[in-house]
Amino acid sequence: MGLMSYGIFFAVILLTLYITYWAAKQTRTASEFYTAGGSLTGWQNGMAIAGDYLSAASFLGIAGAISLNGFDGFYYSVGWLTAYLVVLFLIAEPLRNLGKYTMADMIGSRFGAKKVRGAAALNTITIVLFYMLAQLVGAGALIKLLFGIDYWISVLIVGVMMMIYVLFGGMTATSWVQIIKAILLMIGTIVISFLVLMKFNFNFVGMFDVMRTATPHGESFLHSGVVYKDPIGLISVLLALVLGTAGLPHILMRFFTVKDAKTARSSVVYAVWIIGIFYVMTIFLGFGAAKFVGADAIIAENSAGNMAAPMLAGVLGGDMLESFVAAVAFATILAVVAGLVLSGASAIAHDIYAQIIKKGKVTEKQQVKAARYAAIGVSVVSILLALGSEKLNVAFLVSLAFCIAASANVPTILFTIYWRKFNTTGAVASMLTGLITALVLVAVSPNVINPVEGAAFFVGEPLFPFVNPAIISIPAGFIAAIIGTYVGAKRMEAEEVAYAEVRFKAEAGYRGLEGQA
């Protein structure tokens, strides 16, 4: 890359660091650190949600998956976009009305038991680590492509920068970095899509005809079956993608950054439009990379296909566009990991330290200090995990995080809001069963144990046949919630009585239970 290309890359980095410096002066209280003081408007939070949601998995992972696997890669786009309908219609408003800083606050508004908050915090930390791993893998491959430095050094660079964002700027810095990143990402994606369509003479139908013979897969490239040959395995992946968003703690946390439920709902609408337009354009990114970069070149650079989009930008627009796209991708990763670190730190500092250990008797200063220490811990663990995961596709990694979120969190969230008889026993049983089932099945799946050498961590026959266990783990979470509720029914009659007040608060935004959050 030339000097100007380096300049573009570092200009984006300096811009995000300036935002952090500015935000640090606005962040004093726990509310400002965790939720930007609830000061964001609907469009601002919608942009920030899009910036948070359009992660390395979306920009790098999906483009790579489509370029190598065709239609099967596009399932990620379809699933993740559809997922926001679940959030919009079932989750957004009740969550904002019931919660304060974290997902555990929302569940805790109905169940005051420490074990419920502890289980919710455990789920949050696990999901954050899986999701963070995907972002750091993408960042390491990206910096390696641009500057030719070792992968492990790249991961360390990203890790240090994400800690800076969270430690000093909190949610205010994270939100504005996500907003700017969403704008830059849309600009870069639109430019690449335009150049790809220009190569196909702006003939959308003709593009599909060309792609029938443009890849080693031939006609199969445009149909399902290249990767997901078993329909049950495909259904399992789609269940994780569609339901997982409603249980992602770093996405749910964004609804506490606005003043009320109405604004939370409008922010989802803004986000859906932005995300929807972007995911349509992933078709052009994937097809363009398959046609003009080629599968061999993509795999040679990164076996999982994570560098397809930046390489396509280089082929179509030269070093200048490649460096811009790489800078945007890097900003994408930084914005997402900052949100993830903040979510994980909030679970540790607010849920575990402040509410469980200190029983709510903690000052604002102590809570913010604990959150900053927790941010360092989450970052260090994530970096160590990422160092050994270079060859994993980031879209696949995020799909596992979605599976855990859908299995461990979604049943509890929905039953907390909509089931009168649901109780503490059911909540704990659901969260732990969903989490443990998902983790155990992943550990014995083809992602970890594979007969093909180099395809997974261990060589051998997997005990579980599907790459994503959602088809088993999600029902397990719901069944555990139902069984646990009836097992603990006699001991939890008071919680059923309190449901009427919780339901009213979820629908009307009544804050009478604020002290319990």
Side-chain angles (χ1 to χ4, degrees):
M1 292 195 304
L3 185 61
M4 186 173 292
S5 299
Y6 284 113
I8 293 173
F9 185 87
F10 286 109
V12 173
I13 304 306
L14 290 174
L15 175 61
T16 59
L17 288 174
Y18 174 78
I19 293 171
T20 303
Y21 169 75
W22 165 79
K25 296 187 292 185
Q26 321 294 320
T27 303
R28 297 178 181 85
T29 67
S31 176
E32 290 167 345
F33 186 85
Y34 290 133
T35 62
S39 62
L40 297 186
T41 65
W43 74 266
Q44 288 171 346
N45 196 43
M47 293 286 287
I49 289 172
D52 206 352
Y53 200 63
L54 299 178
S55 63
S58 296
F59 189 54
L60 300 178
I62 293 179
I66 293 176
S67 67
L68 297 180
N69 304 317
F71 187 85
D72 278 359
F74 188 61
Y75 277 125
Y76 288 103
S77 294
V78 175
W80 282 332
L81 177 59
T82 306
Y84 256 100
L85 297 179
V86 178
V87 177
L88 176 61
F89 292 115
L90 297 177
I91 302 295
E93 288 190 53
L95 179 76
R96 176 61 188 85
N97 287 332
L98 289 171
K100 185 179 181 183
Y101 295 150
T102 66
M103 180 194 72
D105 281 338
M106 186 274 281
I107 300 172
S109 67
R110 181 172 175 188
F111 309 117
K114 291 182 180 180
K115 54 188 176 183
V116 174
R117 188 178 288 273
L122 175 63
N123 288 349
T124 294
I125 294 167
T126 305
I127 294 165
V128 162
L129 289 176
F130 267 91
Y131 212 111
M132 183 93 72
L133 183 60
Q135 310 310 312
L136 292 177
V137 168
L142 183 66
I143 301 302
K144 181 181 177 182
L145 170 67
L146 287 176
F147 301 109
I149 61 178
D150 291 341
Y151 170 82
W152 70 271
I153 298 177
S154 304
V155 171
L156 289 178
I157 292 172
V158 179
V160 170
M161 292 198 66
M162 71 186 181
M163 279 191 282
I164 290 173
Y165 291 156
V166 176
L167 289 177
F168 297 103
M171 181 58 83
T172 302
T174 299
S175 296
W176 281 102
V177 168
Q178 289 166 345
I179 290 169
I180 292 173
K181 161 254 171 147
I183 295 170
L184 294 176
L185 181 62
M186 291 300 290
I187 292 172
T189 307
I190 289 170
V191 170
I192 298 175
S193 298
F194 178 82
L195 293 176
V196 169
L197 284 172
M198 188 168 65
K199 288 283 188 179
F200 288 105
N201 299 315
F202 298 100
N203 186 341
F204 190 76
V205 176
M207 177 180 69
F208 279 84
D209 289 335
V210 170
M211 295 310 298
R212 294 178 189 276
T213 57
T215 73
H217 297 299
E219 179 78 22
S220 299
F221 186 78
L222 299 179
H223 303 282
S224 180
V226 172
V227 175
Y228 302 112
K229 302 183 185 301
D230 188 333
I232 298 178
L234 174 59
I235 292 171
S236 188
V237 171
L238 290 176
L239 279 173
L241 300 181
V242 171
L243 295 178
T245 300
L248 289 177
H250 68 292
I251 296 295
L252 299 179
M253 194 174 179
R254 292 231 55 90
F255 296 113
F256 303 132
T257 64
V258 295
K259 62 181 181 179
D260 53 33
K262 180 180 178 182
T263 310
R265 183 176 65 250
S266 69
S267 65
V268 176
V269 175
Y270 282 110
V272 167
W273 276 103
I274 298 167
I275 294 167
I277 293 170
F278 173 84
Y279 279 148
V280 168
M281 291 190 291
T282 59
I283 298 174
F284 308 132
L285 298 181
F287 280 13
K291 172 65 177 176
F292 305 115
V293 179
D296 291 340
I298 293 170
I299 294 173
E301 181 58 44
N302 182 270
S303 59
N306 294 325
M307 291 299 101
M311 293 176 74
L312 174 62
V315 169
L316 298 180
D319 285 348
M320 186 77 72
L321 183 59
E322 182 178 13
S323 61
F324 175 76
V325 169
V328 171
F330 191 65
T332 292
I333 293 167
L334 288 175
V336 174
V337 295
L340 288 165
V341 170
L342 188 58
S343 179
S346 300
I348 295 171
H350 176 65
D351 296 324
I352 296 176
Y353 172 72
Q355 299 299 321
I356 296 178
I357 297 176
K358 290 292 186 178
K359 300 178 181 178
K361 298 176 182 179
V362 59
T363 66
E364 295 270 340
K365 185 177 180 180
Q366 288 174 324
Q367 194 168 169
V368 172
K369 184 178 181 180
R372 286 176 169 147
Y373 281 129
I376 295 174
V378 171
S379 300
V380 170
V381 173
S382 300
I383 290 170
L384 292 175
L385 291 173
L387 292 177
S389 307
E390 180 180 2
K391 295 182 179 180
L392 297 178
N393 181 276
V394 292
F396 151 71
L397 287 171
V398 170
S399 74
L400 293 184
F402 273 66
C403 174
I404 296 172
S407 307
N409 287 344
V410 170
T412 301
I413 291 172
L414 292 177
F415 284 151
T416 295
I417 299 170
Y418 298 108
W419 189 19
R420 178 181 298 276
K421 293 183 179 296
F422 194 47
N423 55 36
T424 296
T425 305
V428 174
S430 175
M431 287 188 281
L432 294 182
T433 299
L435 174 64
I436 293 170
T437 303
L439 290 177
V440 169
L441 292 180
V442 166
V444 296
S445 74
N447 306 305
V448 178
I449 307 172
N450 200 295
V452 180
E453 188 172 355
F457 292 105
F458 304 103
V459 178
E461 289 296 328
L463 301 179
F464 183 73
F466 306 128
V467 296
N468 195 302
I471 197 166
I472 301 296
S473 59
I474 293 176
F478 278 99
I479 292 170
I482 295 170
I483 293 175
T485 296
Y486 284 106
V487 167
K490 291 185 178 180
R491 293 184 288 114
M492 304 297 173
E493 290 178 357
E495 293 179 358
E496 185 176 342
V497 174
Y499 173 76
E501 188 174 0
V502 171
R503 181 68 174 164
F504 177 70
K505 182 182 176 184
E507 295 295 333
Y510 171 63
R511 309 303 293 176
L513 298 178
E514 191 70 53
Q516 297 179 36

